mmCIF file of all heavy atoms in Angstrom:
data_model
loop_
_atom_site.group_PDB
_atom_site.id
_atom_site.type_symbol
_atom_site.label_atom_id
_atom_site.label_comp_id
_atom_site.label_asym_id
_atom_site.label_seq_id
_atom_site.Cartn_x
_atom_site.Cartn_y
_atom_site.Cartn_z
ATOM 1 N N GLN A 1 7.994 -14.300 -4.145
ATOM 2 C CA GLN A 1 6.663 -13.817 -4.776
ATOM 3 C C GLN A 1 6.213 -12.614 -4.106
ATOM 4 O O GLN A 1 5.587 -11.702 -4.809
ATOM 5 C CB GLN A 1 5.563 -14.938 -4.560
ATOM 6 C CG GLN A 1 5.870 -16.148 -5.457
ATOM 7 C CD GLN A 1 4.872 -17.241 -5.216
ATOM 8 O OE1 GLN A 1 4.015 -17.207 -4.353
ATOM 9 N NE2 GLN A 1 4.943 -18.364 -6.005
ATOM 10 N N THR A 2 6.285 -12.403 -2.797
ATOM 11 C CA THR A 2 5.891 -11.297 -2.165
ATOM 12 C C THR A 2 6.896 -10.114 -2.328
ATOM 13 O O THR A 2 6.419 -9.034 -2.518
ATOM 14 C CB THR A 2 5.796 -11.537 -0.603
ATOM 15 O OG1 THR A 2 4.854 -12.662 -0.361
ATOM 16 C CG2 THR A 2 5.376 -10.361 0.250
ATOM 17 N N TYR A 3 8.091 -10.375 -2.409
ATOM 18 C CA TYR A 3 9.196 -9.358 -2.521
ATOM 19 C C TYR A 3 9.021 -8.580 -3.892
ATOM 20 O O TYR A 3 9.245 -7.416 -3.914
ATOM 21 C CB TYR A 3 10.550 -9.938 -2.444
ATOM 22 C CG TYR A 3 11.626 -8.900 -2.558
ATOM 23 C CD1 TYR A 3 12.015 -8.060 -1.432
ATOM 24 C CD2 TYR A 3 12.434 -8.737 -3.666
ATOM 25 C CE1 TYR A 3 12.951 -7.196 -1.561
ATOM 26 C CE2 TYR A 3 13.415 -7.838 -3.749
ATOM 27 C CZ TYR A 3 13.604 -7.063 -2.621
ATOM 28 O OH TYR A 3 14.686 -6.050 -2.741
ATOM 29 N N ILE A 4 8.503 -9.238 -4.849
ATOM 30 C CA ILE A 4 8.378 -8.503 -6.259
ATOM 31 C C ILE A 4 7.404 -7.416 -6.104
ATOM 32 O O ILE A 4 7.293 -6.504 -6.904
ATOM 33 C CB ILE A 4 8.093 -9.449 -7.362
ATOM 34 C CG1 ILE A 4 6.741 -10.177 -7.166
ATOM 35 C CG2 ILE A 4 9.146 -10.478 -7.552
ATOM 36 C CD1 ILE A 4 6.182 -10.984 -8.322
ATOM 37 N N TRP A 5 6.425 -7.467 -5.135
ATOM 38 C CA TRP A 5 5.466 -6.448 -4.952
ATOM 39 C C TRP A 5 5.888 -5.300 -4.065
ATOM 40 O O TRP A 5 5.170 -4.329 -3.924
ATOM 41 C CB TRP A 5 4.174 -7.014 -4.330
ATOM 42 C CG TRP A 5 3.522 -8.063 -5.307
ATOM 43 C CD1 TRP A 5 3.507 -9.364 -5.329
ATOM 44 C CD2 TRP A 5 2.738 -7.704 -6.499
ATOM 45 N NE1 TRP A 5 2.832 -9.913 -6.400
ATOM 46 C CE2 TRP A 5 2.380 -8.838 -7.126
ATOM 47 C CE3 TRP A 5 2.409 -6.444 -7.096
ATOM 48 C CZ2 TRP A 5 1.687 -8.908 -8.405
ATOM 49 C CZ3 TRP A 5 1.706 -6.467 -8.279
ATOM 50 C CH2 TRP A 5 1.326 -7.690 -8.823
ATOM 51 N N LEU A 6 7.070 -5.460 -3.500
ATOM 52 C CA LEU A 6 7.496 -4.358 -2.607
ATOM 53 C C LEU A 6 7.509 -3.011 -3.115
ATOM 54 O O LEU A 6 7.023 -1.995 -2.625
ATOM 55 C CB LEU A 6 8.903 -4.779 -2.013
ATOM 56 C CG LEU A 6 9.437 -3.837 -0.906
ATOM 57 C CD1 LEU A 6 8.486 -3.673 0.243
ATOM 58 C CD2 LEU A 6 10.874 -4.241 -0.487
ATOM 59 N N ASP A 7 8.130 -2.805 -4.313
ATOM 60 C CA ASP A 7 8.267 -1.525 -5.007
ATOM 61 C C ASP A 7 6.953 -0.925 -5.241
ATOM 62 O O ASP A 7 6.639 0.265 -5.015
ATOM 63 C CB ASP A 7 9.060 -1.564 -6.255
ATOM 64 C CG ASP A 7 10.639 -1.825 -6.019
ATOM 65 O OD1 ASP A 7 11.032 -1.470 -4.990
ATOM 66 O OD2 ASP A 7 11.217 -2.217 -6.932
ATOM 67 N N ASN A 8 5.947 -1.775 -5.716
ATOM 68 C CA ASN A 8 4.650 -1.192 -6.003
ATOM 69 C C ASN A 8 3.908 -0.785 -4.718
ATOM 70 O O ASN A 8 3.233 0.241 -4.641
ATOM 71 C CB ASN A 8 3.817 -2.415 -6.666
ATOM 72 C CG ASN A 8 4.302 -2.668 -8.115
ATOM 73 O OD1 ASN A 8 4.971 -1.920 -8.688
ATOM 74 N ND2 ASN A 8 4.036 -3.961 -8.434
ATOM 75 N N LEU A 9 4.067 -1.619 -3.685
ATOM 76 C CA LEU A 9 3.432 -1.258 -2.347
ATOM 77 C C LEU A 9 3.964 -0.027 -1.777
ATOM 78 O O LEU A 9 3.224 0.813 -1.298
ATOM 79 C CB LEU A 9 3.587 -2.397 -1.403
ATOM 80 C CG LEU A 9 2.763 -2.276 -0.131
ATOM 81 C CD1 LEU A 9 1.338 -2.065 -0.305
ATOM 82 C CD2 LEU A 9 3.059 -3.470 0.785
ATOM 83 N N LEU A 10 5.386 0.110 -1.878
ATOM 84 C CA LEU A 10 5.909 1.377 -1.290
ATOM 85 C C LEU A 10 5.502 2.570 -2.089
ATOM 86 O O LEU A 10 5.395 3.619 -1.653
ATOM 87 C CB LEU A 10 7.450 1.152 -1.381
ATOM 88 C CG LEU A 10 8.017 0.278 -0.286
ATOM 89 C CD1 LEU A 10 9.516 0.149 -0.444
ATOM 90 C CD2 LEU A 10 7.702 0.656 1.137
ATOM 91 N N TYR A 11 5.340 2.384 -3.433
ATOM 92 C CA TYR A 11 4.921 3.522 -4.278
ATOM 93 C C TYR A 11 3.537 3.921 -3.913
ATOM 94 O O TYR A 11 3.099 5.081 -3.720
ATOM 95 C CB TYR A 11 4.948 3.062 -5.744
ATOM 96 C CG TYR A 11 4.510 4.223 -6.707
ATOM 97 C CD1 TYR A 11 5.107 5.388 -6.837
ATOM 98 C CD2 TYR A 11 3.183 3.975 -7.359
ATOM 99 C CE1 TYR A 11 4.550 6.349 -7.664
ATOM 100 C CE2 TYR A 11 2.698 4.940 -8.234
ATOM 101 C CZ TYR A 11 3.381 6.079 -8.280
ATOM 102 O OH TYR A 11 2.859 7.076 -9.157
ATOM 103 N N LEU A 12 2.606 2.920 -3.693
ATOM 104 C CA LEU A 12 1.271 3.185 -3.381
ATOM 105 C C LEU A 12 1.116 3.830 -1.870
ATOM 106 O O LEU A 12 0.330 4.668 -1.707
ATOM 107 C CB LEU A 12 0.422 1.937 -3.382
ATOM 108 C CG LEU A 12 0.220 1.212 -4.756
ATOM 109 C CD1 LEU A 12 -0.450 -0.138 -4.631
ATOM 110 C CD2 LEU A 12 -0.621 2.216 -5.644
ATOM 111 N N GLU A 13 2.043 3.420 -1.087
ATOM 112 C CA GLU A 13 2.078 4.056 0.274
ATOM 113 C C GLU A 13 2.533 5.511 0.195
ATOM 114 O O GLU A 13 1.930 6.363 0.841
ATOM 115 C CB GLU A 13 3.036 3.205 1.161
ATOM 116 C CG GLU A 13 3.040 3.654 2.602
ATOM 117 C CD GLU A 13 3.854 4.680 3.095
ATOM 118 O OE1 GLU A 13 4.846 4.994 2.373
ATOM 119 O OE2 GLU A 13 3.614 5.288 4.192
ATOM 120 N N GLU A 14 3.458 5.734 -0.750
ATOM 121 C CA GLU A 14 3.927 7.124 -1.025
ATOM 122 C C GLU A 14 2.794 8.004 -1.489
ATOM 123 O O GLU A 14 2.596 9.152 -1.018
ATOM 124 C CB GLU A 14 5.090 7.165 -1.887
ATOM 125 C CG GLU A 14 5.657 8.478 -2.136
ATOM 126 C CD GLU A 14 6.740 8.520 -3.190
ATOM 127 O OE1 GLU A 14 7.567 7.620 -3.212
ATOM 128 O OE2 GLU A 14 6.848 9.435 -4.058
ATOM 129 N N LEU A 15 2.012 7.489 -2.420
ATOM 130 C CA LEU A 15 0.952 8.180 -3.009
ATOM 131 C C LEU A 15 -0.087 8.438 -1.875
ATOM 132 O O LEU A 15 -0.689 9.592 -1.826
ATOM 133 C CB LEU A 15 0.245 7.432 -4.118
ATOM 134 C CG LEU A 15 1.033 7.332 -5.468
ATOM 135 C CD1 LEU A 15 0.213 6.384 -6.360
ATOM 136 C CD2 LEU A 15 1.312 8.643 -5.996
ATOM 137 N N ALA A 16 -0.389 7.569 -0.964
ATOM 138 C CA ALA A 16 -1.381 7.746 -0.028
ATOM 139 C C ALA A 16 -0.871 8.767 1.089
ATOM 140 O O ALA A 16 -1.747 9.535 1.636
ATOM 141 C CB ALA A 16 -1.564 6.391 0.739
ATOM 142 N N LYS A 17 0.382 8.945 1.203
ATOM 143 C CA LYS A 17 0.942 9.802 2.210
ATOM 144 C C LYS A 17 1.103 11.353 1.615
ATOM 145 O O LYS A 17 1.050 12.295 2.488
ATOM 146 C CB LYS A 17 2.285 9.437 2.751
ATOM 147 C CG LYS A 17 2.806 10.169 3.967
ATOM 148 C CD LYS A 17 3.724 9.334 4.779
ATOM 149 C CE LYS A 17 4.536 10.079 5.710
ATOM 150 N NZ LYS A 17 3.715 10.563 6.766
ATOM 151 N N ARG A 18 1.099 11.442 0.493
ATOM 152 C CA ARG A 18 1.215 12.838 -0.158
ATOM 153 C C ARG A 18 0.102 13.693 0.330
ATOM 154 O O ARG A 18 -1.115 13.294 0.309
ATOM 155 C CB ARG A 18 1.102 12.731 -1.695
ATOM 156 C CG ARG A 18 2.344 12.187 -2.271
ATOM 157 C CD ARG A 18 2.378 12.315 -3.836
ATOM 158 N NE ARG A 18 3.493 11.648 -4.342
ATOM 159 C CZ ARG A 18 3.779 11.405 -5.594
ATOM 160 N NH1 ARG A 18 2.742 11.696 -6.450
ATOM 161 N NH2 ARG A 18 4.866 10.822 -6.055
ATOM 162 N N GLY A 19 0.478 14.834 0.788
ATOM 163 C CA GLY A 19 -0.410 15.743 1.270
ATOM 164 C C GLY A 19 -0.939 15.572 2.750
ATOM 165 O O GLY A 19 -1.742 16.331 3.281
ATOM 166 N N GLN A 20 -0.456 14.503 3.305
ATOM 167 C CA GLN A 20 -0.926 14.237 4.674
ATOM 168 C C GLN A 20 0.284 14.667 5.690
ATOM 169 O O GLN A 20 1.376 14.583 5.328
ATOM 170 C CB GLN A 20 -1.077 12.751 4.918
ATOM 171 C CG GLN A 20 -2.063 12.069 3.976
ATOM 172 C CD GLN A 20 -3.482 12.663 4.148
ATOM 173 O OE1 GLN A 20 -3.890 12.745 5.269
ATOM 174 N NE2 GLN A 20 -4.311 12.787 3.041
ATOM 175 N N SER A 21 -0.060 15.086 6.906
ATOM 176 C CA SER A 21 0.823 15.526 7.774
ATOM 177 C C SER A 21 1.262 14.363 8.645
ATOM 178 O O SER A 21 2.197 14.528 9.464
ATOM 179 C CB SER A 21 0.279 16.464 8.682
ATOM 180 O OG SER A 21 -0.802 16.177 9.340
ATOM 181 N N GLY A 22 0.658 13.236 8.595
ATOM 182 C CA GLY A 22 1.002 12.108 9.411
ATOM 183 C C GLY A 22 0.097 10.959 9.068
ATOM 184 O O GLY A 22 -0.477 10.942 7.905
ATOM 185 N N TYR A 23 0.190 9.953 9.879
ATOM 186 C CA TYR A 23 -0.577 8.775 9.666
ATOM 187 C C TYR A 23 -1.951 8.913 10.310
ATOM 188 O O TYR A 23 -2.277 8.468 11.380
ATOM 189 C CB TYR A 23 0.076 7.492 10.284
ATOM 190 C CG TYR A 23 1.441 7.291 9.612
ATOM 191 C CD1 TYR A 23 2.688 7.672 10.223
ATOM 192 C CD2 TYR A 23 1.518 6.705 8.274
ATOM 193 C CE1 TYR A 23 3.838 7.460 9.516
ATOM 194 C CE2 TYR A 23 2.724 6.492 7.605
ATOM 195 C CZ TYR A 23 3.888 6.883 8.309
ATOM 196 O OH TYR A 23 5.113 6.625 7.545
ATOM 197 N N THR A 24 -2.784 9.606 9.479
ATOM 198 C CA THR A 24 -4.178 9.866 9.908
ATOM 199 C C THR A 24 -5.147 8.932 9.360
ATOM 200 O O THR A 24 -4.784 8.037 8.585
ATOM 201 C CB THR A 24 -4.575 11.253 9.571
ATOM 202 O OG1 THR A 24 -4.660 11.334 8.026
ATOM 203 C CG2 THR A 24 -3.571 12.328 10.021
ATOM 204 N N ALA A 25 -6.354 9.013 9.733
ATOM 205 C CA ALA A 25 -7.425 8.192 9.132
ATOM 206 C C ALA A 25 -7.507 8.448 7.629
ATOM 207 O O ALA A 25 -7.771 7.468 6.889
ATOM 208 C CB ALA A 25 -8.849 8.564 9.851
ATOM 209 N N LEU A 26 -7.305 9.594 7.206
ATOM 210 C CA LEU A 26 -7.348 9.848 5.784
ATOM 211 C C LEU A 26 -6.313 9.116 5.042
ATOM 212 O O LEU A 26 -6.480 8.528 3.918
ATOM 213 C CB LEU A 26 -7.100 11.354 5.525
ATOM 214 C CG LEU A 26 -8.404 12.207 5.704
ATOM 215 C CD1 LEU A 26 -8.086 13.712 5.544
ATOM 216 C CD2 LEU A 26 -9.535 11.790 4.807
ATOM 217 N N TYR A 27 -5.092 9.004 5.651
ATOM 218 C CA TYR A 27 -3.955 8.286 5.096
ATOM 219 C C TYR A 27 -4.364 6.836 4.968
ATOM 220 O O TYR A 27 -4.175 6.157 3.871
ATOM 221 C CB TYR A 27 -2.653 8.498 5.928
ATOM 222 C CG TYR A 27 -1.763 7.411 5.686
ATOM 223 C CD1 TYR A 27 -0.832 7.434 4.582
ATOM 224 C CD2 TYR A 27 -1.588 6.296 6.568
ATOM 225 C CE1 TYR A 27 0.038 6.409 4.379
ATOM 226 C CE2 TYR A 27 -0.667 5.328 6.305
ATOM 227 C CZ TYR A 27 0.146 5.358 5.167
ATOM 228 O OH TYR A 27 1.123 4.422 4.975
ATOM 229 N N TYR A 28 -4.829 6.225 6.089
ATOM 230 C CA TYR A 28 -5.204 4.768 5.980
ATOM 231 C C TYR A 28 -6.301 4.526 5.052
ATOM 232 O O TYR A 28 -6.399 3.477 4.401
ATOM 233 C CB TYR A 28 -5.470 4.310 7.414
ATOM 234 C CG TYR A 28 -4.290 4.205 8.279
ATOM 235 C CD1 TYR A 28 -4.161 5.128 9.403
ATOM 236 C CD2 TYR A 28 -3.307 3.303 8.109
ATOM 237 C CE1 TYR A 28 -3.022 5.036 10.132
ATOM 238 C CE2 TYR A 28 -2.215 3.220 8.923
ATOM 239 C CZ TYR A 28 -1.977 4.137 9.870
ATOM 240 O OH TYR A 28 -0.884 4.082 10.659
ATOM 241 N N ASP A 29 -7.301 5.421 4.924
ATOM 242 C CA ASP A 29 -8.396 5.278 4.023
ATOM 243 C C ASP A 29 -7.828 5.212 2.540
ATOM 244 O O ASP A 29 -8.179 4.466 1.704
ATOM 245 C CB ASP A 29 -9.458 6.212 4.160
ATOM 246 C CG ASP A 29 -10.199 6.106 5.361
ATOM 247 O OD1 ASP A 29 -10.162 5.012 5.944
ATOM 248 O OD2 ASP A 29 -10.879 7.106 5.798
ATOM 249 N N SER A 30 -6.893 6.215 2.336
ATOM 250 C CA SER A 30 -6.224 6.278 0.977
ATOM 251 C C SER A 30 -5.467 5.123 0.662
ATOM 252 O O SER A 30 -5.443 4.588 -0.429
ATOM 253 C CB SER A 30 -5.362 7.626 0.918
ATOM 254 O OG SER A 30 -4.788 7.752 -0.378
ATOM 255 N N LEU A 31 -4.609 4.563 1.707
ATOM 256 C CA LEU A 31 -3.852 3.502 1.420
ATOM 257 C C LEU A 31 -4.612 2.181 1.163
ATOM 258 O O LEU A 31 -4.396 1.439 0.272
ATOM 259 C CB LEU A 31 -2.955 3.143 2.597
ATOM 260 C CG LEU A 31 -1.942 2.035 2.481
ATOM 261 C CD1 LEU A 31 -0.997 2.282 1.321
ATOM 262 C CD2 LEU A 31 -1.220 1.919 3.820
ATOM 263 N N ALA A 32 -5.737 2.131 1.839
ATOM 264 C CA ALA A 32 -6.737 0.920 1.600
ATOM 265 C C ALA A 32 -7.316 1.011 0.187
ATOM 266 O O ALA A 32 -7.443 -0.014 -0.549
ATOM 267 C CB ALA A 32 -7.821 1.012 2.702
ATOM 268 N N ASP A 33 -7.668 2.214 -0.325
ATOM 269 C CA ASP A 33 -8.210 2.303 -1.596
ATOM 270 C C ASP A 33 -7.162 1.999 -2.664
ATOM 271 O O ASP A 33 -7.490 1.401 -3.675
ATOM 272 C CB ASP A 33 -8.636 3.838 -1.872
ATOM 273 C CG ASP A 33 -9.862 4.155 -1.016
ATOM 274 O OD1 ASP A 33 -10.653 3.237 -0.654
ATOM 275 O OD2 ASP A 33 -10.148 5.431 -0.907
ATOM 276 N N LYS A 34 -5.910 2.405 -2.433
ATOM 277 C CA LYS A 34 -4.761 2.240 -3.479
ATOM 278 C C LYS A 34 -4.287 0.831 -3.369
ATOM 279 O O LYS A 34 -3.958 0.249 -4.400
ATOM 280 C CB LYS A 34 -3.804 3.197 -3.243
ATOM 281 C CG LYS A 34 -4.163 4.616 -3.477
ATOM 282 C CD LYS A 34 -3.069 5.683 -3.222
ATOM 283 C CE LYS A 34 -3.314 7.138 -3.560
ATOM 284 N NZ LYS A 34 -4.671 7.560 -3.764
ATOM 285 N N ALA A 35 -4.108 0.218 -2.209
ATOM 286 C CA ALA A 35 -3.355 -0.953 -2.072
ATOM 287 C C ALA A 35 -4.193 -2.179 -1.569
ATOM 288 O O ALA A 35 -3.641 -3.321 -1.325
ATOM 289 C CB ALA A 35 -2.086 -0.789 -1.263
ATOM 290 N N GLY A 36 -5.413 -1.855 -1.382
ATOM 291 C CA GLY A 36 -6.232 -2.818 -0.620
ATOM 292 C C GLY A 36 -6.391 -4.200 -1.472
ATOM 293 O O GLY A 36 -6.372 -5.210 -0.925
ATOM 294 N N GLY A 37 -6.526 -4.061 -2.728
ATOM 295 C CA GLY A 37 -6.670 -5.162 -3.555
ATOM 296 C C GLY A 37 -5.401 -6.079 -3.536
ATOM 297 O O GLY A 37 -5.497 -7.286 -3.448
ATOM 298 N N LEU A 38 -4.321 -5.458 -3.627
ATOM 299 C CA LEU A 38 -2.966 -6.103 -3.599
ATOM 300 C C LEU A 38 -2.783 -6.855 -2.306
ATOM 301 O O LEU A 38 -2.396 -8.007 -2.149
ATOM 302 C CB LEU A 38 -1.824 -5.128 -3.715
ATOM 303 C CG LEU A 38 -0.471 -5.727 -3.645
ATOM 304 C CD1 LEU A 38 -0.098 -6.832 -4.595
ATOM 305 C CD2 LEU A 38 0.616 -4.551 -3.861
ATOM 306 N N LEU A 39 -3.095 -6.150 -1.243
ATOM 307 C CA LEU A 39 -2.928 -6.650 0.110
ATOM 308 C C LEU A 39 -3.900 -7.831 0.431
ATOM 309 O O LEU A 39 -3.493 -8.824 1.027
ATOM 310 C CB LEU A 39 -3.144 -5.567 1.199
ATOM 311 C CG LEU A 39 -2.019 -4.413 1.155
ATOM 312 C CD1 LEU A 39 -2.406 -3.495 2.148
ATOM 313 C CD2 LEU A 39 -0.635 -5.042 1.357
ATOM 314 N N LYS A 40 -5.085 -7.780 -0.017
ATOM 315 C CA LYS A 40 -6.081 -8.706 0.123
ATOM 316 C C LYS A 40 -5.648 -10.014 -0.671
ATOM 317 O O LYS A 40 -5.631 -11.183 -0.104
ATOM 318 C CB LYS A 40 -7.425 -8.372 -0.363
ATOM 319 C CG LYS A 40 -8.503 -9.414 -0.213
ATOM 320 C CD LYS A 40 -9.862 -8.902 -0.777
ATOM 321 C CE LYS A 40 -10.829 -10.058 -0.493
ATOM 322 N NZ LYS A 40 -12.197 -9.579 -1.046
ATOM 323 N N GLU A 41 -5.103 -9.860 -1.788
ATOM 324 C CA GLU A 41 -4.582 -11.113 -2.661
ATOM 325 C C GLU A 41 -3.467 -11.778 -1.967
ATOM 326 O O GLU A 41 -3.367 -12.983 -1.904
ATOM 327 C CB GLU A 41 -4.170 -10.550 -4.085
ATOM 328 C CG GLU A 41 -3.575 -11.597 -4.978
ATOM 329 C CD GLU A 41 -3.006 -10.946 -6.146
ATOM 330 O OE1 GLU A 41 -3.735 -10.029 -6.750
ATOM 331 O OE2 GLU A 41 -2.004 -11.475 -6.661
ATOM 332 N N ARG A 42 -2.517 -10.953 -1.368
ATOM 333 C CA ARG A 42 -1.310 -11.553 -0.724
ATOM 334 C C ARG A 42 -1.826 -12.245 0.522
ATOM 335 O O ARG A 42 -1.306 -13.237 0.866
ATOM 336 C CB ARG A 42 -0.362 -10.476 -0.371
ATOM 337 C CG ARG A 42 0.288 -9.670 -1.600
ATOM 338 C CD ARG A 42 0.871 -10.613 -2.668
ATOM 339 N NE ARG A 42 1.830 -11.559 -2.076
ATOM 340 C CZ ARG A 42 2.093 -12.817 -2.539
ATOM 341 N NH1 ARG A 42 1.490 -13.137 -3.665
ATOM 342 N NH2 ARG A 42 2.846 -13.581 -1.926
ATOM 343 N N LEU A 43 -2.757 -11.689 1.325
ATOM 344 C CA LEU A 43 -3.282 -12.333 2.485
ATOM 345 C C LEU A 43 -4.005 -13.645 2.179
ATOM 346 O O LEU A 43 -3.865 -14.672 2.920
ATOM 347 C CB LEU A 43 -4.140 -11.420 3.305
ATOM 348 C CG LEU A 43 -3.377 -10.357 3.996
ATOM 349 C CD1 LEU A 43 -4.378 -9.324 4.633
ATOM 350 C CD2 LEU A 43 -2.416 -10.823 5.138
ATOM 351 N N VAL A 44 -4.784 -13.660 1.089
ATOM 352 C CA VAL A 44 -5.387 -14.863 0.812
ATOM 353 C C VAL A 44 -4.405 -15.995 0.340
ATOM 354 O O VAL A 44 -4.603 -17.147 0.802
ATOM 355 C CB VAL A 44 -6.398 -14.621 -0.453
ATOM 356 C CG1 VAL A 44 -6.878 -15.909 -1.048
ATOM 357 C CG2 VAL A 44 -7.580 -13.828 0.020
ATOM 358 N N GLU A 45 -3.410 -15.579 -0.400
ATOM 359 C CA GLU A 45 -2.331 -16.613 -0.788
ATOM 360 C C GLU A 45 -1.545 -17.075 0.568
ATOM 361 O O GLU A 45 -1.155 -18.122 0.624
ATOM 362 C CB GLU A 45 -1.391 -15.978 -1.662
ATOM 363 C CG GLU A 45 -2.162 -15.868 -3.058
ATOM 364 C CD GLU A 45 -1.130 -15.289 -4.187
ATOM 365 O OE1 GLU A 45 0.097 -15.495 -4.036
ATOM 366 O OE2 GLU A 45 -1.663 -14.791 -5.207
ATOM 367 N N ALA A 46 -1.463 -16.060 1.501
ATOM 368 C CA ALA A 46 -0.655 -16.428 2.704
ATOM 369 C C ALA A 46 -1.437 -17.491 3.553
ATOM 370 O O ALA A 46 -0.758 -18.398 4.183
ATOM 371 C CB ALA A 46 -0.403 -15.193 3.527
#
């Protein structure tokens, strides 16, 4: 059930990293905005 979300999560991570020079606070904020709902749902189920 988790594996089926891998492609989506990797795509959202790629979107968050675009235009970033590294793993900065802006990257993590962007990733949280893009993938936060999915990650929260998976953690609740976990």
Side-chain angles (χ1 to χ4, degrees):
Q1 290 174 354
T2 300
Y3 183 75
I4 63 171
W5 292 104
L6 181 60
D7 287 338
N8 292 338
L9 184 57
L10 290 174
Y11 176 70
L12 293 172
E13 194 269 342
E14 181 184 322
L15 290 178
K17 191 155 169 64
R18 284 186 185 167
Q20 304 293 322
S21 61
Y23 297 104
T24 63
L26 285 173
Y27 160 78
Y28 288 109
D29 289 343
S30 179
L31 183 60
D33 289 342
K34 291 175 179 13
L38 172 62
L39 296 175
K40 182 179 178 183
E41 177 185 325
R42 298 306 308 151
L43 286 171
V44 166
E45 290 183 24

